Amino acid sequence: MDNRLKEKYIKLDKKNIWHPFTQMADWINDDPNKPLIIDKAKGVYLYDVDGRQYIDGISSLWVNILGHKNSLIDNAIREQITKVSHSTFLGLTHLPAIELSEKLLNILPKNLNKIFYSDNGSTAVEVALKMAYQYWQFKKEKRTMFLSLKNAYHGDTIGAVSVGGTELFHSRFRSLLFKSYFAMSPYCYRCKFRTKSIPFPLTAKNFKNHNFQVGCKGECIKQVDEILGKYSKKIAASIIEPLNQAASGMIVTPKGYLSEYAKLCKKYGVLLICDEVATGFGRTGKMFAVEHENVHPDFICLSKGITGGYLPLAVTATTNKIYNAFLGKYEEFKTFFHGHSYTANPLACAAANAVIDILKEDNILQKVDIIIKNLETELKELSSHIKIGNIRQCGVMVGIEIVEDKKTGKPYDCKLKMGAKICSRIRKQGIIIRNLGDTLVLFLPFIITKYEISKIIKAIKIELDNL
Ligand SMILES: *Cc1c(COP(=O)(O)O)cnc(C)c1O
């Protein structure tokens, strides 16, 4: 693109737009050549308006699981456009959504029987929370609380934020939120260094003031037991990101934690919501994360990868037990009064149908397995690096936690913006990844090659060597 034209667009962006999760003062004062304007994409690569090529190392913020411009998904959407792009799902239905419900129920855990559509991960969570809450009213029990985990992320709408345990995103809204219990995050790396709670965000300053000690005594799961033991009669549901607290920096839960958590919910009669918005559709190496520990939740929330990163769509899947509780005469008003203008958008459903076909027919999970093994090998070599405190991998999702002092786990001063700085340097090598604090995040699409994985890891190593 002509430089003057590009500058004009960048100026307009900075004048008109407020970007998500962005300190706009930094954004507008950044280099006049930034931000990167993405123009095209193909497979694992994004191209800017100047034709420069970048590996999309975070699957466009975790949605693009099958690469860009996948011809089967492209065609499915094109074909649907020739019929109808949208019609309401209130009082009407359509073929793409019906087909998709059947495909989803075929791959979801067998205890789930009903599909409720919405259009993003946060609303999929809102729907599960509201269904659980309403369910207990039908059971004539007053259950108004939820149980969640510290460091949990379930989206940015108020209900999802209420069960969110990421202080940095949520503490500002605390007085606006409904009350929820929080159990300790199963953050094993940091657990090694501490006794009670880990401040989040963990900064060099609060690190110094904190009394850290070595030793895991399984306190995290004990706390779940304690809270449920004491308060289960008040708790409508507990919610968890199975296997991986992704948005807090890929905090991978220890083996057995999820099944233990699910067991406790069952023991105390509390409904279980598994938020698979990040982990669903093959990212963990199985179709859904709950399969790794044979967990059968009352709700599964899905979004992100469901359309291959093409269009917004979400699903809350639940059981006949929950669904049946809402049945009744019209005038009893047991109806679930919830819906969105774009619920079950037909184009999005058509994309999702194509995605599930590809996942099943192309033996994608076998390919994912190879990616996971290649990643493992590369990361093993990287892990001894003096600047890396901890590497966490869950399938194709990776968190690389950068620290100032490997021995004590001391983080960098947050003013240094170390994570962001490293990512911006890596971008100059033609690779787009993002940081969560000082954790570098990889979220690889299923079409990435061994060579491209090596290239990403090498780029990270080069920039860490340069620190
Ligand atoms: C991204 C995410 C959400 C929120 O999804 P949006 O589509 O961004 O609203 C909820 N839960 C988890 C686990 C996520 O990773």
Side-chain angles (χ1 to χ4, degrees):
M1 180 183 259
D2 172 71
N3 252 347
R4 287 233 302 278
L5 190 60
K6 187 171 116 186
E7 264 172 39
K8 192 180 122 195
Y9 277 117
I10 288 176
K11 266 201 196 127
L12 267 181
D13 176 291
K14 290 182 178 176
K15 182 170 144 300
N16 295 349
I17 300 178
W18 191 343
H19 285 264
F21 278 93
T22 302
Q23 176 44 260
M24 292 308 291
D26 288 345
W27 181 270
I28 55 180
N29 293 323
D30 204 353
D31 184 330
N33 253 311
K34 283 190 191 166
L36 207 58
I37 309 179
I38 296 301
D39 184 38
K40 287 184 302 210
K42 177 74 192 157
V44 76
Y45 293 102
L46 293 166
Y47 298 87
D48 69 10
V49 284
D50 298 320
R52 267 188 295 262
Q53 173 183 279
Y54 301 87
I55 296 179
D56 185 357
I58 45 161
S59 298
S60 291
L61 213 63
W62 316 357
V63 296
N64 193 282
I65 53 175
L66 297 170
H68 297 275
K69 269 181 75 93
N70 178 295
S71 60
L72 293 172
I73 307 173
D74 285 5
N75 286 338
I77 295 171
R78 260 192 220 113
E79 198 176 311
Q80 184 57 39
I81 283 184
T82 65
K83 296 178 182 163
V84 57
S85 291
H86 188 66
S87 84
T88 181
F89 216 54
L90 281 65
L92 299 174
T93 190
H94 52 74
L95 295 183
I98 298 170
E99 275 166 20
L100 180 58
S101 67
E102 188 65 9
K103 282 185 182 158
L104 285 167
L105 290 175
N106 277 333
I107 56 172
L108 278 163
K110 288 290 160 260
N111 67 312
L112 299 172
N113 324 93
K114 301 289 171 191
I115 300 294
F116 189 96
Y117 289 110
S118 60
D119 50 25
N120 64 73
S122 308
T123 53
V125 168
E126 298 284 339
V127 165
L129 296 173
K130 285 173 75 179
M131 280 180 176
Y133 184 81
Q134 195 169 335
Y135 170 82
W136 289 108
Q137 294 180 10
F138 298 143
K139 296 282 143 194
K140 304 276 183 292
E141 287 195 39
K142 195 170 178 326
R143 299 199 186 206
T144 58
M145 303 284 287
F146 291 88
L147 169 64
S148 175
L149 296 181
K150 290 262 173 67
N151 287 331
Y153 178 78
H154 298 292
D156 293 332
T157 51
I158 292 296
V161 172
S162 297
V163 291
T166 313
E167 286 302 310
L168 177 67
F169 305 157
H170 303 149
S171 57
R172 207 170 279 286
F173 300 104
R174 199 51 80 197
S175 65
L176 201 58
L177 309 176
F178 58 73
K179 282 206 189 118
S180 193
Y181 297 109
F182 289 93
M184 186 186 284
S185 166
Y187 191 174
C188 297
Y189 170 60
R190 287 296 168 194
C191 208
K192 240 183 14 183
F193 298 111
R194 62 103 198 254
T195 49
K196 280 205 187 83
S197 66
I198 315 158
F200 187 95
L202 186 63
T203 63
K205 191 154 160 248
N206 63 27
F207 180 83
K208 209 169 66 199
N209 299 334
H210 218 70
N211 182 21
F212 293 94
Q213 270 186 16
V214 176
C216 166
K217 304 183 192 75
E219 293 157 284
C220 53
I221 196 70
K222 262 192 227 152
Q223 231 181 47
V224 174
D225 196 356
E226 268 169 37
I227 295 172
L228 287 176
K230 257 195 213 156
Y231 304 113
S232 65
K233 289 286 166 229
K234 291 195 202 170
I235 299 176
S238 70
I239 180 163
I240 186 170
E241 295 159 87
L243 299 193
N244 183 14
Q245 296 193 297
S248 283
M250 303 294 164
I251 299 173
V252 181
T253 58
K255 208 163 186 249
Y257 178 89
L258 173 64
S259 58
E260 202 53 44
Y261 187 94
K263 245 186 248 163
L264 289 170
C265 292
K266 196 156 243 152
K267 175 177 162 195
Y268 292 109
V270 165
L271 297 173
L272 174 59
I273 304 169
C274 284
D275 177 355
E276 293 235 22
V277 169
T279 53
F281 300 103
R283 269 83 145 236
T284 63
K286 290 190 190 286
M287 193 61 90
F288 299 105
V290 290
E291 293 170 33
H292 289 269
E293 302 203 3
N294 200 21
V295 163
H296 293 84
D298 300 280
F299 301 90
I300 284 187
C301 304
L302 302 170
S303 189
K304 289 206 170 101
I306 191 169
T307 62
Y310 273 63
L311 289 159
L313 182 71
V315 158
T316 308
T318 190
T319 61
N320 279 332
K321 177 178 103 172
I322 302 292
Y323 173 84
N324 288 338
F326 286 69
L327 300 178
K329 291 203 189 78
Y330 171 79
E331 63 273 19
E332 288 176 277
F333 298 122
K334 284 184 164 182
T335 304
F336 185 56
F337 290 108
H338 187 113
H340 299 281
S341 313
Y342 284 101
T343 291
N345 172 261
L347 295 177
C349 288
N353 278 319
V355 166
I356 296 178
D357 288 348
I358 297 166
L359 287 177
K360 286 178 67 175
E361 281 161 28
D362 290 1
N363 284 329
I364 290 278
L365 290 183
Q366 280 172 21
K367 289 181 195 159
V368 173
D369 235 21
I370 296 169
I371 294 173
I372 293 173
K373 297 228 164 69
N374 285 336
L375 249 181
E376 251 168 38
T377 314
E378 294 272 355
L379 291 171
K380 201 175 248 167
E381 264 176 54
L382 192 65
S383 66
S384 60
H385 200 284
I386 187 79
K387 293 295 171 202
I388 295 178
N390 188 220
I391 297 185
R392 300 177 286 273
Q393 183 189 359
C394 178
V396 300
M397 304 173 279
V398 180
I400 301 171
E401 190 166 335
I402 309 299
V403 291
E404 186 180 323
D405 186 339
K406 194 176 178 88
K407 223 202 235 125
T408 61
K410 181 175 185 257
Y412 279 101
D413 185 338
C414 76
K415 276 195 216 127
L416 293 173
K417 298 190 214 164
M418 204 47 97
K421 217 174 263 173
I422 296 167
C423 289
S424 104
R425 289 177 188 164
I426 286 172
R427 185 175 295 185
K428 295 207 181 94
Q429 298 191 49
I431 291 158
I432 294 182
I433 60 170
R434 256 183 86 87
N435 60 300
L436 288 159
D438 281 350
T439 297
L440 310 180
V441 168
L442 306 182
F443 208 109
L444 303 183
F446 305 161
I447 51 151
I448 196 161
T449 62
K450 188 166 188 252
Y451 166 76
E452 287 152 352
I453 295 173
S454 280
K455 208 170 152 190
I456 296 174
I457 303 296
K458 270 201 200 93
I460 293 173
K461 184 166 180 303
I462 290 171
E463 296 312 338
L464 292 180
D465 287 345
N466 286 340
L467 284 186

